[in-house]
Amino acid sequence: MSKKMSYGSDYKYIPATTIRSGKITQVLPDLYCYANKVVNVVFIGDARKKSFVLVDAGMPKSAKKIVKAVEKTYGKGARPKAILLTHGHFDHVGSIIELINYWKVPVYSHAFELPFLTGEFDYPSPDPFVRGGLIAKISYKFPKRAVNLADHIERLPADGSVPYLEDFRWIHTPGHTPGHVSFFREKDRTLIAGDAFITVKQDSLIKTITQKLELNGPPKYFTTNWRAACESVRKLKELHPAVAITGHGRPVSGENLTINLRNLADNFEQKAIPPKGKYV
Ligand SMILES: [Zn+2]
Ligand SMILES: [Zn+2]
C-alpha cells in the first residue's frame, strides 16, 4: 500500500493573484502556459495526440482549476502521463497531492530536491530583508515546510532524459533551490526555466499583479545560493533559447528573450542579487 502524503504544517491558501490568472496561452503547437494565480503551470504535448505532461503543480487549493484548464486544453477526462517538478516551493507544489490522487500519475524531481519533497528538510525561511517590494516583505508568511509525497516522487533519470518527453532533457539549475531543474528542447530551443530566472519582478506586488514583462533573476526572498543562481542563468543563456516559459510572468520569445537574458547573465550581480539580505 502507498504511504500517506501530506502538506507541510504551514500549508495555506495564499490570497495573491495577477491579471493573467486563469489564462491558458498556447505558446507553440504543443506547449501551453496556464497562469494559476501568481505561478505558471506548463502543459507539454500536442492537444490532438492527447499525450502530455505537466510541469509544476500550481498554488495551494487550485487542483480543481488546474484539472479544468487541462480538460479545456486536452479534452474531458484528459490525464497527464506525469508531473515534472522544477523545484518544491509551495507555489509549485501547491496542489500536487490532490492532483496525484485524482490522476494517479508519477511525479519526478531532481535527486537534490527529494528531501524537500519527502518531508525530510524544510526550505530556509524566506528572506524579508531583501529590498524589492511588498511581496518580499510579506514573504516570511509563505509556507516553507516540506511537502511529503512519500513514495509518489521519483528522481529524474541520471542520463538527462525526461520521462514521456523524448525531445527534452533536464538541466540542473541550482541556486534558487539545491535541486532546481529546467527543461530544454534542442530542436526548437524551447526552455522551461522554472524559477532559475523569471519574466516578472516577483518581489513587487504591483508588477506581480500587472505582470509587466521584465526579465529578472530568481525570486529574491526565496533564493539562498546566489553564486549558483548566477551560474545557472549563464548556463541557460548559453543554450540560446528561442522561447521560454518561466515559473512566474509571461512567456517570452525572440529578441525580447535573447537580449534580456544576455543582459541578465552579464549583469547578474547588479540586476539580480539583492544588496542586502541574509543569504547574500
Ligand atoms: Zn521558487
Ligand atoms: Zn516560484
Side-chain angles (χ1 to χ4, degrees), residues 86-92 123 176-177 180 194-196 218-219 221-223 248:
T86 59
H87 62 302
H89 278 154
F90 81 95
D91 49 338
H92 298 253
Y123 288 109
H176 182 58
T177 67
H180 188 286
D195 286 356
Y221 46 85
F222 254 148
T223 300
H248 306 273

Side-chain angles (χ1 to χ4, degrees), residues 62-76:
S62 292
K64 278 189 187 140
K65 289 198 175 93
I66 295 169
V67 169
K68 226 170 133 185
V70 159
E71 295 198 343
K72 205 171 159 190
T73 308
Y74 292 98
K76 200 107 201 95

Side-chain angles (χ1 to χ4, degrees), residues 30-32 41-55 66-67 69-84 103 105 163-165:
D30 66 348
L31 184 68
Y32 299 84
V41 180
V42 183
F43 309 159
I44 310 175
D46 194 316
R48 288 162 303 182
K49 291 180 191 146
K50 294 195 184 292
S51 169
F52 63 99
V53 304
L54 252 63
V55 179
I66 295 169
V67 169
V70 159
E71 295 198 343
K72 205 171 159 190
T73 308
Y74 292 98
K76 200 107 201 95
R79 209 172 68 110
K81 299 277 189 219
I83 300 174
L84 314 172
W103 282 324
V105 283
Y164 304 102
L165 293 179

Side-chain angles (χ1 to χ4, degrees), residues 16-18 20 38 40 91 129-137 142 195 197-221 226 246-250 264 270-276:
T17 195
T18 76
R20 284 176 58 239
V38 301
N40 292 322
D91 49 338
F129 300 108
V130 296
R131 263 190 249 157
L134 198 56
I135 301 243
K137 282 202 181 70
F142 290 167
D195 286 356
F197 69 90
I198 55 176
T199 64
V200 66
K201 192 166 163 45
Q202 187 78 3
D203 317 308
S204 154
L205 181 64
I206 188 73
K207 287 181 178 172
T208 295
I209 292 171
T210 61
Q211 297 277 283
K212 182 179 183 292
L213 183 73
E214 176 183 317
L215 239 68
N216 277 284
K220 292 189 175 75
Y221 46 85
W226 284 102
T246 59
H248 306 273
R250 300 170 190 273
L264 178 65
Q270 303 91 287
K271 289 201 66 144
I273 304 179
K276 276 191 350 192

